[in-house]
Amino acid sequence: SPHVPGSMSKHSKKPKRAQVPDADLQEDKDLLQLQVEELLSEIRSPLAIPSALEGLLACLREGPGPAELPQASDRRPQDVSVGGSHRTSTASSRTDAVDVLVTLPKGYVSLRDIRQHNYLTRRNLYAHAVHTHLSAQGTD
């Protein structure tokens, strides 16, 4: 018998594909669209930084005082900024968490500290000093 394109021969092992009705595909597409819209409604666009956060950032920019960090000459952080999902405008409406990035002061960690594996200790001391400073300011 001659071979007809698209037909299955006796020796072919591939099963015929089942046809999915267009109505089922449309229902799946509608469901997916609904789920996407629901997720997008949960994302807010945090364009403005709340005033409480502005106060926290200002306090962080001051840096710890001599009482909290006596061994450092320059105690103010090199940079303080907002990061994470708040910065990228993808924060969920279900959370009020904000990531704050604090860069250690220039010269606070030396090459010697790094070579002697003291970087983490120095960073933790600075983080503790910042925590103490914020607690003293009442912004804990």
Side-chain angles (χ1 to χ4, degrees):
S1 96
H3 177 68
V4 178
S7 68
M8 303 260 322
S9 68
K10 294 179 188 178
H11 304 290
S12 177
K13 294 181 182 180
K14 292 183 182 179
K16 287 188 177 181
R17 292 185 186 180
Q19 293 292 327
V20 177
D22 289 341
D24 288 347
L25 290 177
Q26 186 62 38
E27 287 176 16
D28 289 345
K29 183 180 175 185
D30 291 342
L31 180 62
L32 180 62
Q33 181 66 31
L34 182 65
Q35 290 172 337
V36 168
E37 288 173 6
E38 185 177 333
L39 288 172
L40 288 175
S41 70
E42 292 179 6
I43 296 175
R44 64 177 181 221
S45 179
L47 300 175
I49 295 176
S51 60
L53 183 57
E54 279 293 341
L56 174 69
L57 294 175
C59 189
L60 282 170
R61 287 184 182 111
E62 292 172 10
E68 292 101 12
L69 199 64
Q71 72 274 20
S73 57
D74 185 15
R75 294 170 188 87
R76 290 181 305 135
Q78 191 171 341
D79 184 42
V80 175
S81 61
V82 174
S85 59
H86 190 80
R87 182 175 188 165
T88 60
S89 299
T90 57
S92 170
S93 60
R94 291 184 240 169
T95 181
D96 293 327
V98 176
D99 298 317
V100 177
L101 310 173
V102 178
T103 306
L104 293 173
K106 194 171 188 165
Y108 180 72
V109 178
S110 67
L111 187 57
R112 179 178 165 212
D113 291 327
I114 295 170
R115 286 183 181 151
Q116 294 180 353
H117 307 286
N118 292 330
Y119 169 77
L120 293 176
T121 303
R122 299 280 291 173
R123 185 188 69 178
N124 290 341
L125 283 171
Y126 192 81
H128 179 72
V130 167
H131 177 266
T132 306
H133 175 68
L134 291 176
S135 296
Q137 300 294 319
T139 57
D140 193 27

